[in-house]
Amino acid sequence: MKLIGNKWFLVVVISFFALIISYYLFFENSQMTKSIGMGGMIVEEKHHYIEPGQYFEMWIIGYNAHEKKENRERYKIFIKESMVYNLIEEGEEYMVSFKSFREDEEFGYVYKLEQISNQEEYQLRGKGRIK
């Protein structure tokens, strides 16, 4: 009789730990990220904000150039590197990939830039020479 009671106790303890682990794996870390890649994104606007002596933020707002005008979704994409931000021009088309990192009231998801290239101007081909 005591053996059956110990088995039930062991089953309850294992189930409890499995429930706790499931909660942390699935619910606690449930902020889903959304990754997007576009073959043609038009940059509508460039913005930056500087908090003197603290930090600065740089972001662009754009849309997929290959979608119909009535279906266009605008994306707010933050940029970490100022060198990259300085090369981006409003009104130009870029190939981009970006990943969501939080939600925003105006844009829904807010993204961080993973990769960007201007297919017409910045794509060199062949091997460069090093002297």
Side-chain angles (χ1 to χ4, degrees):
M1 199 66 152
K2 189 169 182 147
L3 186 60
I4 294 174
N6 287 341
K7 286 182 182 179
W8 277 108
F9 177 74
L10 186 60
V11 168
V12 169
V13 169
I14 290 172
S15 299
F16 178 73
F17 282 116
L19 185 64
I20 289 174
I21 290 170
S22 297
Y23 173 79
Y24 282 107
L25 288 177
F26 299 110
F27 299 110
E28 189 69 22
N29 297 322
S30 66
Q31 290 193 357
M32 300 292 285
T33 58
K34 186 175 175 183
S35 296
I36 298 177
M38 283 184 206
M41 178 180 168
I42 303 291
V43 175
E44 282 184 314
E45 307 169 22
K46 283 176 61 172
H47 298 280
H48 66 276
Y49 173 78
I50 299 172
E51 185 68 38
Q54 300 286 325
Y55 64 90
F56 63 99
E57 296 176 338
M58 301 162 288
W59 66 93
I60 57 174
I61 297 173
Y63 60 88
N64 187 345
H66 305 291
E67 284 184 331
K68 292 181 180 179
K69 192 171 187 173
E70 60 271 6
N71 296 335
R72 283 186 185 155
E73 185 176 339
R74 295 174 70 216
Y75 301 94
K76 183 177 186 178
I77 305 167
F78 281 87
I79 300 167
K80 188 174 184 177
E81 298 293 328
S82 58
M83 245 185 336
V84 172
Y85 178 81
N86 291 331
L87 290 172
I88 296 172
E89 296 179 18
E90 290 180 349
E92 291 293 319
E93 184 174 334
Y94 297 91
M95 186 173 85
V96 296
S97 64
F98 45 94
K99 187 179 197 177
S100 68
F101 70 96
R102 68 175 168 87
E103 290 193 46
D104 184 74
E105 291 177 10
E106 186 178 353
F107 290 94
Y109 285 103
V110 176
Y111 302 88
K112 61 182 174 180
L113 184 67
E114 297 286 322
Q115 187 174 9
I116 187 166
S117 68
N118 182 319
Q119 296 296 11
E120 295 176 10
E121 293 182 26
Y122 303 123
Q123 294 298 310
L124 300 177
R125 306 223 191 297
K127 293 188 178 187
R129 184 176 85 169
I130 298 175
K131 264 182 143 176

